[in-house]
Amino acid sequence: MSLITNCKNNQAETTSEIKLVTAEEMQTILDVEDAQLIDVRTPEEFEEGHILNAQNIDFSSPTFDEEVNKLDKSRPVILYCRSGGRSAKCAEKMKEAGFKKIYDLEGGISKWQHSDKIRIEAKS
């Protein structure tokens, strides 16, 4: 009997990965991993309501790349926008920038608000 090992398992940890996650999966990630939660909507959208403990980095801002580079690339990142379009584009940019583990909230905050995982914070 012989044992075959696969060296590719070690390589997988050094490459970037983007995973689309549901609201339920995102809640688990927030509870278990030391993830950075990033809202990529505009500051105005963010002020109307955002997921608790999220940091706002506007995807359409001219300082977007600069702000993203201040984040820890070795820590997981969870991205969300209104419905999933901007966060998907942002995930690709972050992958190119060298982030190791990127989660993208499927359906954005719109889907999150309709789940039982609501942790929305709004400015009054």
Side-chain angles (χ1 to χ4, degrees):
M1 184 177 271
S2 63
L3 178 65
I4 300 172
T5 60
N6 185 347
C7 296
K8 288 187 178 181
N9 286 343
N10 293 336
Q11 290 176 347
E13 291 181 29
T14 60
T15 59
S16 298
E17 108 183 52
I18 299 171
K19 183 175 183 202
L20 198 60
V21 294
T22 64
E24 290 75 20
E25 290 170 322
M26 183 174 141
Q27 183 60 57
T28 301
I29 294 163
L30 287 170
D31 292 342
V32 176
E33 297 188 38
D34 183 26
Q36 303 166 95
L37 181 60
I38 310 298
D39 183 324
V40 300
R41 299 175 302 152
T42 66
E44 293 78 22
E45 289 174 297
F46 186 78
E47 287 296 318
E48 289 173 6
H50 56 272
I51 299 172
L52 195 62
N53 299 320
Q55 177 181 348
N56 184 219
I57 302 178
D58 182 358
F59 181 68
S60 59
S61 167
T63 62
F64 175 79
D65 292 332
E66 181 183 318
E67 293 297 315
V68 163
N69 283 326
K70 293 178 184 175
L71 299 173
D72 185 345
K73 292 180 182 180
S74 66
R75 286 177 52 208
V77 176
I78 304 172
L79 305 169
Y80 74 91
C81 59
R82 183 177 48 82
S83 59
R86 285 174 281 182
S87 60
K89 292 175 188 169
C90 180
E92 287 299 327
K93 283 187 91 166
M94 293 181 95
K95 181 177 179 178
E96 291 169 14
F99 284 82
K100 302 300 178 212
K101 193 182 266 188
I102 305 157
Y103 297 104
D104 184 5
L105 177 61
E106 182 180 31
I109 196 169
S110 299
K111 195 120 179 205
W112 176 270
Q113 289 172 319
H114 293 98
S115 77
D116 62 350
K117 304 297 180 197
I118 297 176
R119 291 185 351 176
I120 302 289
E121 182 176 77
K123 301 284 183 196
S124 301

